[in-house]
Amino acid sequence: LFKGTFPLFVKHIIGPFTAFFCYDFMIDKLSVLWRTTNMPVLPLVLFAATCGTYLGAAFTYPFAVSVREMVDLWPKKGTDPFNGNYRKASIYLWFHQSILSFYPGFFKRYFWHIAPQWFFTILLAEKLGFFKYWRIDIFSGAGDNSNEDSFV
């Protein structure tokens, strides 16, 4: 039933999760710039969304595209080194000496197709309040990222 779904799972589940996680992490670290200074929030949100989108795409490209090509296209050129198994191809890719060799066509074939939707999804989630803290007390961490949270 799930045979051949590994690249789709990585592209549509792990990729956005990584992008959202990186965005949330960066917003938490950069929030001190608008909590304690007069810096506007929008440039920091755009910077964090761009970085999160790029990191999500850079993490998932080898597993969503390169592994699929290794399993589906390499056997047509000769022997099948992975026997049609995405797990074996992913292990080979992960433990290979240079993972950078599995990034050909990153921007042309992958990044510009998924980056706009991930970027605007992050901005929409920010606008809807998905990244706002709902509990404000001394034990909950950053609070709601207002300047009152900087002073304990």
Side-chain angles (χ1 to χ4, degrees):
L1 179 65
F2 296 109
K3 184 170 175 52
T5 59
F6 176 75
L8 291 174
F9 177 78
V10 168
K11 181 179 180 181
H12 297 294
I13 303 296
I14 303 298
F17 172 77
T18 305
F20 270 70
F21 177 78
C22 292
Y23 172 78
D24 190 35
F25 177 79
M26 291 185 69
I27 280 296
D28 286 344
K29 298 306 171 202
L30 294 174
S31 67
V32 71
L33 293 175
W34 76 75
R35 286 188 284 136
T36 59
T37 66
N38 290 330
M39 184 154 194
V41 178
L42 184 62
L44 295 174
V45 167
L46 293 175
F47 173 74
T50 302
C51 289
T53 300
Y54 177 78
L55 290 173
F59 176 73
T60 58
Y61 178 78
F63 300 102
V65 177
S66 296
V67 166
R68 184 178 50 83
E69 287 181 357
M70 291 164 63
V71 172
D72 295 342
L73 299 179
W74 285 11
K76 294 179 177 126
K77 297 178 182 175
T79 62
D80 186 4
F82 307 112
N83 297 326
N85 192 333
Y86 290 110
R87 183 186 58 84
K88 290 180 182 178
S90 297
I91 290 172
Y92 173 79
L93 185 137
W94 187 261
F95 290 110
H96 196 265
Q97 291 196 3
S98 174
I99 197 168
L100 295 177
S101 61
F102 296 102
Y103 279 94
F106 171 67
F107 285 102
K108 184 177 179 182
R109 295 174 42 209
Y110 187 69
F111 183 78
W112 296 119
H113 296 283
I114 60 147
Q117 60 190 354
W118 288 2
F119 180 77
F120 289 118
T121 301
I122 289 173
L123 293 182
L124 181 65
E126 173 67 33
K127 183 69 176 169
L128 292 175
F130 287 7
F131 298 106
K132 300 289 184 222
Y133 294 98
W134 56 272
R135 184 184 320 168
I136 303 171
D137 62 8
I138 193 136
F139 299 112
S140 64
D144 62 351
N145 284 336
S146 66
N147 61 348
E148 290 86 12
D149 297 325
S150 299
F151 310 107
V152 179

